[in-house]
Amino acid sequence: MKKENLLTLLILGALVLGVLVGQFLLFDPSLSAEALRSRVDPWRIAGELVFIRPLMMLIIPLVFVSVVSGVTSIGNPQRLGIIGGATALYYVGTTLVAVLLGLSLVNLVNPGSGVAIEQLESAGQRTFESDVQGRLTGRPGDVGGSFLSLLYQMIPDNPLRSAVDREVLGVVVFAILIGLALVMSGEPARPAIKLIDGLFHALMKLVTWIIWLAPIGIVCIVASRVGEKGLAALVGPLSKYVLTVIVGLLIHLLVVLPAILAVFGRTNPYRFLWSLRKVIVTAFSTASSNATLPVTIEECQTSGGCSRRAANFVVPLGATVNMNGTALYEAVAVSFLFQLFGIDLSLTQQLIILITATLAAIGAAGIPGAGLVTMAIVINAVNASLTAVGGEGVEPLPLWTIGIILGVDRILDMCRTVLNVMGDAVGARIITRLAPDEPDERERALG
Ligand code: ASP
């Protein structure tokens, strides 16, 4: 058997084994949440040590080196502008489509109607207000605040602090500027470009080593995630909601993105998706676009046929700002909560969801559970519109209601992260047409 096929088999087997261990060996509904947590903790810790932390170790150096290398290989600032513009257009366009798809589905299925709050309480789905408040404190809960925090991240006053705080966006912007400056500096900067290229190859080598740890890491992480809540949480009163999110994510992944890829990327989309199976499984098990980033960059260039120029630039940027899955999820989740409390949303309020869910997804970090937190922005914006239209007497939706969907968020987080990451990969494949690799071009740019 070829090494590549063996690894695929091991990774897919690990996924199945992880679910089985989590459900049948670890999960026990008679145990308290605390007892369950201490039971799954050794698995979670093992998964983090074997797979997640090694991946995280590479994120910041890899983002810096790959973006600088991508920008210097594009060479010409004007060309970079065109590629940047096309990339931004792709990100915003696909995110809006994702939210529209989510809104259409949630209106069609109406998962919140017919579910009584008492039913959720008896199924243990309602979490205490303090649980949710704890997650929300210190985060900007309105559009203006979160936009400002995004701008602050984009213009870091200290790039090293951005690196330490793992604010990938600040590192990407700094790397783009350094890359441009290296190109514009000509001959004296040539050794620095060579050094960056050398480091990039070394980091890619490290990624290929770490991928071999994936099977062990995936068993442990998936077992701990499934073991904590059990799969039964998915078939309770929230099952219609869970299904709406999953169907939406699948339509976007298997119909919308492939159509865009076929038209604009002139690529066989399903072959492309299959070629990135390691990325899909890594995103699913880690629930983090950032942790998956090293694997995405490596696989896009090796199995996915993306150019180095496109992958090195589009994928790191996309990991923080392009989140189709999170956008779709937030639209469905927020609409579901309003439906649950019998609050009808007008077309204007749905438009507010369209805009704020797009912004909230851009603002969400590529880490587990980030989408759940930025959802507060969407709820607050809709609430503001409700009270503006209905006056003081209108009851807004309290933020603690996010606690209702906390129990099923783990699994949905894993699913939406797959779409977040695949959105970036498809973008890289499309941009490859605009920025194919031409080995001697950089030499020419440097004169
Ligand atoms: N976990 C997601 C990601 O890393 C973000 C989210 O919570 O929606 O892409």
Side-chain angles (χ1 to χ4, degrees):
M1 188 186 280
K2 264 173 50 190
K3 253 163 85 177
E4 202 40 35
N5 293 343
L6 173 69
L7 187 57
T8 302
L9 207 69
L10 287 174
I11 286 179
L12 294 178
L15 194 62
V16 176
L17 189 63
V19 173
L20 294 177
V21 169
Q23 180 65 24
F24 298 109
L25 223 68
L26 299 180
F27 182 66
D28 182 347
S30 64
L31 292 179
S32 68
E34 208 156 303
L36 265 178
R37 209 165 297 146
S38 56
R39 190 184 252 210
V40 301
D41 258 359
W43 292 81
R44 181 183 55 76
I45 293 168
E48 282 181 359
L49 288 176
V50 171
F51 191 45
I52 296 192
R53 290 179 73 89
L55 282 176
M56 302 286 270
M57 181 169 37
L58 299 188
I59 294 170
I60 292 297
L62 187 58
V63 166
F64 180 75
V65 166
S66 75
V67 174
V68 173
S69 148
V71 170
T72 54
S73 68
I74 291 168
N76 169 340
Q78 205 180 348
R79 186 113 182 258
L80 185 71
I82 296 172
I83 293 169
T87 307
L89 202 70
Y90 167 82
Y91 288 163
V92 175
T94 50
T95 307
L96 285 172
V97 173
V99 182
L100 278 174
L101 177 61
L103 281 175
S104 316
L105 280 175
V106 79
N107 281 313
L108 196 76
V109 179
N110 221 337
S113 71
V115 181
I117 307 294
E118 303 74 51
Q119 215 179 329
L120 293 170
E121 274 168 357
S122 63
Q125 296 288 13
R126 183 175 162 168
T127 314
F128 289 114
E129 195 167 338
S130 57
D131 242 34
V132 181
Q133 288 303 355
R135 284 175 177 243
L136 297 179
T137 38
R139 322 258 176 169
D142 60 84
V143 182
S146 65
F147 190 64
L148 192 64
S149 113
L150 206 65
L151 285 180
Y152 268 79
Q153 277 185 44
M154 277 174 75
I155 308 172
D157 60 348
N158 180 352
L160 290 181
R161 188 165 43 222
S162 305
V164 170
D165 292 344
R166 278 218 203 91
E167 284 176 5
V168 176
L169 199 53
V171 179
V172 169
V173 172
F174 182 64
I176 291 175
L177 294 175
I178 291 282
L180 274 175
L182 284 173
V183 171
M184 306 294 279
S185 303
E187 189 55 36
R190 193 190 280 259
I193 294 179
K194 277 215 155 16
L195 175 70
I196 294 276
D197 282 351
L199 281 173
F200 178 70
H201 280 107
L203 285 166
M204 283 294 100
K205 184 58 122 197
L206 279 179
V207 178
T208 57
W209 293 347
I210 293 173
I211 289 178
W212 277 95
L213 296 173
I216 308 171
I218 286 169
V219 175
C220 300
I221 303 159
V222 174
S224 72
R225 278 181 172 261
V226 173
E228 212 173 310
K229 301 275 176 202
L231 295 175
L234 300 179
V235 292
L238 294 181
S239 59
K240 237 165 127 188
Y241 155 72
V242 171
L243 216 64
T244 311
V245 175
I246 291 181
V247 168
L249 295 174
L250 282 175
I251 295 177
H252 198 82
L253 180 69
L254 299 177
V255 181
V256 178
L257 287 183
I260 295 174
L261 184 55
V263 174
F264 296 102
R266 305 263 165 82
T267 303
N268 180 331
Y270 298 107
R271 193 173 302 157
F272 179 73
L273 291 185
W274 175 245
S275 72
L276 294 187
R277 52 199 178 273
K278 279 184 227 140
V279 178
I280 293 178
V281 180
T282 307
F284 183 78
S285 51
T286 60
S288 165
S289 302
N290 283 358
T292 314
L293 190 57
V295 186
T296 322
I297 295 178
E298 202 268 341
E299 288 294 298
C300 275
Q301 291 175 47
T302 50
S303 320
C306 302
S307 70
R308 199 172 128 192
R309 289 168 163 186
N312 282 8
F313 177 71
V314 177
V315 173
L317 193 60
T320 46
V321 300
N322 182 43
M323 297 205 176
N324 292 182
T326 302
L328 186 149
Y329 158 80
E330 296 204 359
V332 176
V334 170
S335 308
F336 166 74
L337 291 176
F338 277 98
Q339 285 173 358
L340 202 62
F341 282 77
I343 305 172
D344 279 333
L345 298 181
S346 66
L347 208 64
T348 315
Q349 280 133 16
Q350 308 232 12
L351 201 69
I352 291 175
I353 296 187
L354 177 69
I355 296 164
T356 50
T358 303
L359 290 175
I362 293 174
I367 55 173
L372 196 77
V373 175
T374 59
M375 195 190 298
I377 299 168
V378 187
I379 296 182
N380 284 340
V382 178
N383 276 341
S385 152
L386 281 171
T387 36
V389 173
E392 285 304 311
V394 173
E395 275 289 311
L397 186 76
L399 286 185
W400 67 256
T401 51
I402 296 177
I404 292 173
I405 49 175
L406 214 59
V408 289
D409 188 65
R410 285 268 160 130
I411 183 78
L412 293 183
D413 195 7
M414 295 159 92
C415 300
R416 66 184 183 252
T417 306
V418 170
L419 185 55
N420 289 345
V421 171
M422 290 314 285
D424 305 337
V426 168
R429 191 70 183 85
I430 291 173
I431 299 296
T432 295
R433 282 192 67 207
L434 274 182
D437 283 334
E438 294 162 40
D440 59 330
E441 182 149 310
R442 184 181 333 191
E443 303 300 318
R444 264 187 275 131
L446 288 172

